[in-house]
Amino acid sequence: MHAIDRFGTFLHQLRTACIVVVAALLAAPACAQPASDADVLAAKAAFDKGDAAALAKIAPRAAGHVLAPYVAMWQLDLGVDGADPAVVTAFLRQWSGTPGADRLAVDWLKSRARAGDWAAFAREYPPRTSPDTELACDAVLYHRQRDGDAALAEAKPLWFTGQTTPDACEPLFAELIARGVIDPADREARIRLAAENANWRLVRTLADALPGNARVTGPAFATVERDPLGVLKRGQFDWKRPSGRMLALYALERAARADVVAAHAAWIKWRPRLPEEARGYGNARLAYLGARSLEPDALAWYRDADVARESADERAWHVRAALRAGDWREVIAALDVLPPAMADDAAWRYWRARSLAATGKPEEAAPIYAALADGNGFYAILAAEAIGRRPSLASVPATPSDAWLVDFGARDDVQRAVKLAALGMRPESIREWASVVRGMDDVTLLHAAEFARRAGLPDRSINTADRTRSRHDFRLRYPTPFEAQFDAAARATGIEAPLLYGVARQESRFVPDIVSSAGAMGLMQLMPPTARWVSKQLNRGNYRADAITDIDVNAEFGAFYLKYWLDRLDGMPALAAAAYNAGPRRAAGWRPPQALEGAIWVETIPFSETRDYVKKVLANTMYYATILAGEHDPATPSTLPTLTTRLGTIMPRTTTAALGTGR
């Protein structure tokens, strides 16, 4: 009972020895039955439904379970507005540094702000995790009551977002507007951010609240929304009033998202009516949307844009438009105006080196290539190939002793991570494991990765091995589980095993029963309709829907689907990977009007998720090809295709049959 003694501040809440209270969950009272996984799962189900009464009945049975702190946290979180501050404080102190305590701390702070209980707020602020927007606004309110109106200025940076902000922020923004701290230019800037994020409702709300002749009413927006391109072509705006100019830019944004070429033609007719700043902004938006649409004239449009007013994303697409046009000098010019933090990214360093080499400055390109080649990933491989090197897969394993593994596995936080994964609470397990490995050095990371591998947590093992900075173990980074199934699938479909492993590593991290938020399932993350389609192609009349997570079936069906599109997309792995992620119709639609270098095609994939996916799948494929061929020594001549060869040249768009099939 010593654990309950530490929580004496809330013993008065006990009505009987087995009534659910936080203390009872953190120590097993004499009358409690042994806790079971089923009790914890039932508690989680009650929490997810917001059923506090059901959770109160279930929770005592979880006392003594390794996940009892989660059950306690769920109870406190459901009743956070009416919770006893002493109970919450005691929980946060005992479980400080754990993901459960971090979540509760944030929710508790928000509840104290809603209640105006600034003394309790002060005891827990700031939280260990970064505050979200709502809590950041709560903090401004707290600082204001403590320090006076000067603290209001802290809220202004939170204004500049294209997203709808929480209710807690609105009184602060209203006061900043009333005081003139948020001025008309700031209000217009946010309206533009909202439009750039396609948050049309926020645009209308903000514009309708503008004063005087800057205000744009709902009926005016409705006219544009019915036919944005038609309105833009007719130029029916009050060009002399701020409201008319704002409405013109709104029409431009909406029209360009539907037909950027037609929007550009209409825009150039009317843009002289706008002041220079608004004209430069509109030019930048058209250039950006044109580049994202892979419009060949987008680079020329960028030359009309106001570079000083371009966002970081608009500048990045300026580089991509120049790459797609093959204008290496323009690539360098566009790279020169990237924000410094962005310019240091491996992608932009690689393209700078390529541009320098292409414009007759190989001596300036060489050190950039060499520095990149010492790393890992897509651009490290390309950089190594550019200077005649092979990417190194030299591992320096750090094998933990049995005693270390036993001690590590005995840690409460490690046990929680393992149990959460076993019970299907994957997001909670990921957060718990991230807390476990935070701050570890390379050797300890490799030890932890080996523990995760042996514990049946392949995703945690791979991600942990990926975190090392200078000492790597590629056996852990690129494991080859389910060899029999993948080899059989590769032989049955004629697809190469390295590509199959490369996709599976990216899709599921080899967790066989994983289910995505969209419903994709298994090692190869197949959607049920896709699995049914594949079963028909393979004449599997006995296929059952519940077989989708069977390892043999999932590997074979995923391999068939990947090979199907590889064959129909010119045998190009980059196109097939893009089709696997974003759908074959999109991948085919992204093909260029003229032959384009594969690396440039990948860099200019419009969807950032797919662009990143394709790079990682192809890098994975290269590493797996090297591992499976046993070519670990970079000094030995390779018999394998280079990444440059695999990327090849993407040929112009063609009509591809059956493009409607989706994963």
Side-chain angles (χ1 to χ4, degrees):
M1 298 295 290
H2 61 282
I4 292 180
D5 292 338
R6 291 198 299 269
F7 287 86
T9 55
F10 57 86
L11 277 173
H12 66 278
Q13 295 183 353
L14 296 175
R15 294 196 294 270
T16 70
C18 288
I19 281 187
V20 60
V21 291
V22 176
L25 290 169
L26 303 181
C31 68
Q33 297 298 314
S36 72
D37 292 346
D39 295 327
V40 174
L41 288 171
K44 179 61 162 60
F47 173 70
D48 289 341
K49 293 177 182 176
D51 191 339
L55 182 54
K57 292 178 181 178
I58 298 164
R61 303 198 299 267
H65 194 280
V66 67
L67 297 182
Y70 276 83
V71 180
M73 184 272 289
W74 296 333
Q75 277 202 285
L76 287 171
D77 211 30
L78 273 189
V80 69
D81 286 337
D84 184 333
V87 176
V88 176
T89 299
F91 182 92
L92 295 178
R93 295 296 177 268
Q94 182 176 9
W95 300 102
S96 176
T98 66
D102 290 344
R103 170 176 176 161
L104 180 61
V106 170
D107 289 346
W108 175 245
L109 283 164
K110 291 178 181 178
S111 81
R112 293 306 85 204
R114 288 192 295 269
D117 185 356
W118 299 115
F121 187 95
R123 285 194 292 273
E124 305 302 334
Y125 190 84
R128 200 171 71 103
T129 55
S130 298
D132 59 17
T133 302
E134 180 181 354
L135 187 53
C137 286
D138 289 338
V140 176
L141 291 169
Y142 161 60
H143 291 149
R144 185 188 188 188
Q145 62 83 35
R146 186 190 65 184
D147 304 327
D149 288 348
L152 275 172
E154 298 174 22
K156 185 171 180 178
L158 302 172
W159 169 259
F160 296 101
T161 175
Q163 304 303 319
T164 303
T165 45
D167 290 344
C169 301
E170 298 312 309
L172 295 169
F173 295 153
E175 188 150 0
L176 289 173
I177 289 170
R179 291 168 178 259
V181 177
I182 292 178
D183 61 24
D186 297 328
R187 298 170 78 174
E188 183 173 357
R190 188 172 178 202
I191 290 170
R192 289 179 177 180
L193 288 172
E196 291 165 18
N197 282 273
N199 192 341
W200 312 122
R201 177 177 294 182
L202 180 60
V203 170
R204 292 191 294 270
T205 299
L206 293 171
D208 191 50
L210 291 172
N213 63 9
R215 182 184 178 219
V216 184
T217 63
F221 278 119
T223 300
V224 170
E225 288 158 6
R226 281 193 293 271
D227 182 15
L229 182 58
V231 172
L232 187 64
K233 285 180 176 179
R234 293 189 293 273
Q236 294 174 335
F237 308 105
D238 188 341
W239 298 100
K240 294 182 179 181
R241 294 167 66 93
S243 58
R245 297 192 290 268
M246 185 179 298
L247 203 58
L249 290 173
Y250 182 74
L252 174 66
E253 184 77 31
R254 298 207 67 157
R257 288 171 180 267
D259 186 340
V260 72
V261 174
H264 181 266
W267 171 251
I268 59 175
K269 177 181 177 181
W270 296 108
R271 66 185 177 185
R273 299 284 193 95
L274 288 168
E276 182 179 356
E277 184 279 330
R279 190 165 61 248
Y281 173 79
N283 290 342
R285 291 304 297 163
L286 264 176
Y288 166 75
L289 292 169
R292 286 283 308 270
S293 300
L294 307 181
E295 169 56 43
D297 290 333
L299 183 60
W301 298 352
Y302 263 112
R303 295 184 181 120
D304 289 335
D306 182 355
V307 174
R309 292 201 171 263
E310 288 176 8
S311 67
D313 204 26
E314 288 167 351
R315 294 182 186 189
W317 275 98
H318 188 171
V319 180
R320 294 188 179 106
L323 284 170
R324 205 158 170 107
D327 189 333
W328 293 105
R329 295 189 185 282
E330 186 73 14
V331 171
I332 293 174
L335 287 168
D336 284 343
V337 296
L338 288 180
M342 180 182 287
D344 195 46
D345 183 83
W348 304 128
R349 289 162 59 205
Y350 172 77
W351 291 116
R352 180 176 290 281
R354 281 288 307 276
S355 302
L356 290 168
T359 54
K361 299 176 182 177
E363 70 287 350
E364 294 182 38
I368 302 175
Y369 281 140
L372 284 169
D374 288 336
N376 299 293
F378 184 78
Y379 289 108
I381 298 170
L382 286 176
E385 292 174 359
I387 54 177
R389 285 170 48 182
R390 286 180 55 197
S392 174
L393 276 175
S395 292
V396 185
T399 306
S401 67
D402 290 343
W404 188 95
L405 290 169
V406 170
D407 289 344
F408 185 71
R411 288 173 47 170
D412 289 345
D413 51 358
V414 173
Q415 289 188 23
R416 289 195 297 271
V418 173
K419 179 60 74 174
L420 287 163
L423 296 185
M425 288 183 254
R426 179 177 166 79
E428 291 87 351
S429 177
I430 289 172
R431 286 191 290 269
E432 191 77 55
W433 185 264
S435 180
V436 169
V437 301
R438 186 179 293 116
M440 285 181 173
D441 59 28
D442 282 357
V443 170
T444 313
L445 283 169
L446 294 177
H447 286 178
E450 176 62 16
F451 173 89
R453 185 188 71 81
R454 297 190 192 188
L457 303 175
D459 56 337
R460 300 301 89 211
S461 177
I462 292 169
N463 288 9
T464 303
D466 266 347
R467 291 169 62 98
T468 56
R469 294 166 288 277
S470 58
R471 179 171 180 169
H472 311 303
D473 186 343
F474 287 94
R475 175 184 63 90
L476 290 171
R477 284 192 177 195
Y478 297 92
T480 54
F482 312 115
E483 289 185 63
Q485 289 88 347
F486 280 117
D487 287 348
R491 288 194 304 272
T493 59
I495 200 167
E496 61 170 336
L499 179 57
L500 198 56
Y501 272 114
V503 169
R505 183 185 188 272
Q506 195 59 31
E507 288 285 347
S508 67
R509 289 291 197 263
F510 304 110
V511 178
D513 59 351
I514 190 172
V515 180
S516 77
S517 58
M521 305 174 76
L523 293 173
M524 298 295 289
Q525 286 290 275
L526 294 171
M527 294 294 288
T530 301
R532 288 195 299 272
W533 179 83
V534 173
S535 73
K536 292 178 182 178
Q537 306 306 306
L538 295 174
N539 295 315
R540 301 288 172 81
N542 60 346
Y543 172 74
R544 303 185 322 275
D546 60 359
I548 191 171
T549 54
D550 178 90
I551 294 170
D552 298 87
V553 172
N554 198 278
E556 182 186 7
F557 282 22
F560 178 90
Y561 187 72
L562 183 61
K563 184 63 163 59
Y564 181 88
W565 288 112
L566 187 65
D567 289 345
R568 283 155 182 76
L569 293 167
D570 302 341
M572 304 300 293
L575 279 168
Y580 203 89
N581 178 259
R585 187 174 296 279
R586 288 194 182 102
W590 293 334
R591 297 178 74 150
Q594 297 177 335
L596 186 67
E597 178 190 329
I600 294 176
W601 183 83
V602 171
E603 184 56 57
T604 56
I605 291 173
F607 291 1
S608 56
E609 177 192 325
T610 304
R611 186 166 62 249
D612 183 63
Y613 176 90
V614 172
K615 291 176 186 179
K616 287 179 178 175
V617 164
L618 290 174
N620 292 348
T621 301
M622 289 295 297
Y623 289 130
Y624 274 116
T626 302
I627 289 168
L628 294 173
E631 296 186 2
H632 298 280
D633 184 0
T636 303
S638 177
T639 60
L640 301 171
T642 64
L643 178 54
T644 304
T645 300
R646 287 180 180 276
L647 287 164
T649 300
I650 305 298
M651 300 306 291
R653 302 179 181 122
T654 57
T655 301
T656 304
L659 283 177
T661 304
R663 184 161 60 96

